[in-house]
Amino acid sequence: MKALLLTAFGQAPAVTEVPDLAPPDGGVVVAVSTTGLCRSDWHAFAGHDPDVTLPHVPGHEFAGTVSRVGAGVAGVRIGDRVTAPFVLACGDCEQCRAGQQQVCRNQVQPGFTRWGSFAEEVIVERAAVNLIALPDDVDLAVAAILGCRFATAFRALLAVGRLRPQEWVAVHGCGGVGLSAIMIATATGARVVATDVDQDALHLARDLGAETTIDTAGRAGQDVAAAIQEATLGGAHLSLDALGSEHTCAASIACLRPRGRHVQIGLLPPALGLPAVPMHLVIAGELEVLGSHGMPAHAYPELLALVASGRLRPGRLLTRTIRLDEAGPALAGMSRTAGVTLIRPDVSL
């Protein structure tokens, strides 16, 4: 099969032929129809993730059809339309038994701990735990962004952040996960203030329902936090760092009103340095500092039902589709093109 093979960190990978995949016992091989280009993939490309070893195939959010089925897999047929979370859980550890597969102690991650979906095929291990059947009325292109950005934002807002209608949500960073959060928050009746350095991203944030947007280019974190507190008449109830930087993390905490909740979803890899967290504000305001890491497969039906009903329209985030042979330069450049870029490995080169 064809795959985008990374052979040196920081150098644009190229499409090459690699051996076809064999399904493991209990797992399946998925023919990738679409796969998303995500900032997390750039961290793997740059060598920020210690779990990534070379040679490597990036890619972790995808949708497609089952092409081969391993021994012991029940209820799955070749041709089934499927996706999967970016955390593939073991199903047996303490966390999995409690229904928290997103923090499985024995997890594997396509595109990080093993080869991923920037290829014509990808493996989904432990299909009974991780494989998600897609309704016929959910497009594969839309489903491809559910496995990371949209699902991550969905759980971060509702399960972890405990968002309630009419609460103010601050979204720091209007990339794919930030824009997803804006859509979900507004669909559930919350009010959104969004920040970014890019005017196109802020324009799209407004189109998706943000009441207020703040251009953070050249502004200090305290200035950004003060602007959010002014816009929300006292501070956000819930704030998300959807980018992952020292500045956005600190501003997300500083913009909260007393007893507010900060949720960190943007990656902060140690290779880039540990952020300075304003813990004095956490203590004085009795703030909650929370992390959120994807969403388990069993939680997807609620999200899929909202998508199928039309209340949530992830397709509005899709702004560009490229071929697999265009993905290497796109990954290396990781431009700030507003919205989500999809890769089509099933398109002939």
Side-chain angles (χ1 to χ4, degrees):
M1 69 171 184
K2 293 182 176 67
L4 193 72
L5 193 66
L6 180 67
T7 57
F9 292 122
Q11 296 183 17
V15 176
T16 188
E17 295 279 349
V18 299
D20 290 337
L21 301 177
D25 291 350
V28 303
V29 174
V30 174
V32 179
S33 173
T34 53
T35 181
L37 182 64
C38 178
R39 182 171 172 82
S40 301
D41 300 314
W42 180 83
H43 283 300
F45 156 81
H48 298 159
D49 192 327
D51 292 323
V52 174
T53 58
L54 301 177
H56 181 67
V57 176
H60 65 286
E61 50 180 6
F62 59 89
T65 56
V66 175
S67 60
R68 288 185 288 285
V69 178
V73 176
V76 178
R77 297 178 299 178
I78 292 174
D80 283 353
R81 302 167 74 254
V82 296
T83 187
F86 70 87
V87 171
L88 300 183
C90 73
D92 295 322
C93 69
E94 176 185 353
Q95 288 71 30
C96 286
R97 291 195 299 271
Q100 304 297 334
Q101 287 89 348
Q102 76 282 351
V103 288
C104 169
R105 296 298 293 272
N106 305 310
Q107 65 184 256
V108 297
Q109 296 183 16
F112 302 102
T113 63
R114 65 164 176 75
W115 285 15
S117 56
F118 290 179
E120 292 180 313
E121 294 185 329
V122 66
I123 289 174
V124 175
E125 301 176 5
R126 304 178 184 92
V129 178
N130 300 307
L131 200 64
I132 300 165
L134 293 172
D136 291 339
D137 47 5
V138 173
D139 186 80
L140 289 176
V142 168
I145 64 171
L146 298 182
C148 178
R149 280 168 273 206
F150 216 84
T152 294
F154 188 82
R155 184 172 175 276
L157 287 169
L158 302 181
V160 177
R162 309 187 306 280
L163 179 62
R164 294 183 290 272
Q166 294 304 306
E167 285 190 322
W168 274 104
V169 182
V171 177
H172 300 260
C174 296
V177 70
L179 293 171
S180 299
I182 292 168
M183 291 182 66
I184 295 163
T186 54
T188 56
R191 307 176 71 183
V192 177
V193 52
T195 77
D196 205 284
V197 299
D198 183 85
Q199 288 298 318
D200 289 338
L202 292 174
H203 178 76
L204 187 52
R206 289 189 291 271
D207 284 348
L208 295 174
E211 290 187 35
T212 303
T213 58
I214 298 172
D215 183 353
T216 58
R219 302 180 71 170
Q222 285 299 321
D223 182 29
V224 172
I228 293 172
Q229 290 180 337
E230 180 180 359
T232 58
L233 302 178
H237 299 87
L238 174 64
S239 185
L240 273 62
D241 178 4
L243 174 67
S245 76
E246 178 177 354
H247 300 296
T248 50
C249 176
S252 179
I253 294 171
C255 78
L256 291 167
R257 66 181 62 204
R259 309 217 72 198
R261 292 98 64 198
H262 159 78
V263 181
Q264 186 68 41
I265 51 180
L267 295 181
L268 292 164
L272 296 182
L274 298 177
V277 177
M279 291 303 295
H280 64 292
L281 299 178
V282 175
I283 296 168
E286 291 192 352
L287 308 178
E288 295 183 54
V289 178
L290 305 162
S292 191
H293 190 241
M295 189 167 77
H298 69 76
Y300 273 71
E302 181 183 3
L303 172 58
L304 288 170
L306 289 173
V307 173
S309 72
R311 287 182 58 193
L312 291 178
R313 297 168 56 197
R316 294 183 67 189
L317 299 185
L318 305 180
T319 54
R320 184 171 66 142
T321 300
I322 61 177
R323 303 187 310 270
L324 188 61
D325 62 335
E326 299 173 298
L331 177 61
M334 205 60 197
S335 67
R336 282 306 308 266
T337 301
V340 173
T341 295
L342 283 183
I343 302 166
R344 290 286 306 270
D346 61 341
V347 174
S348 299
L349 303 180

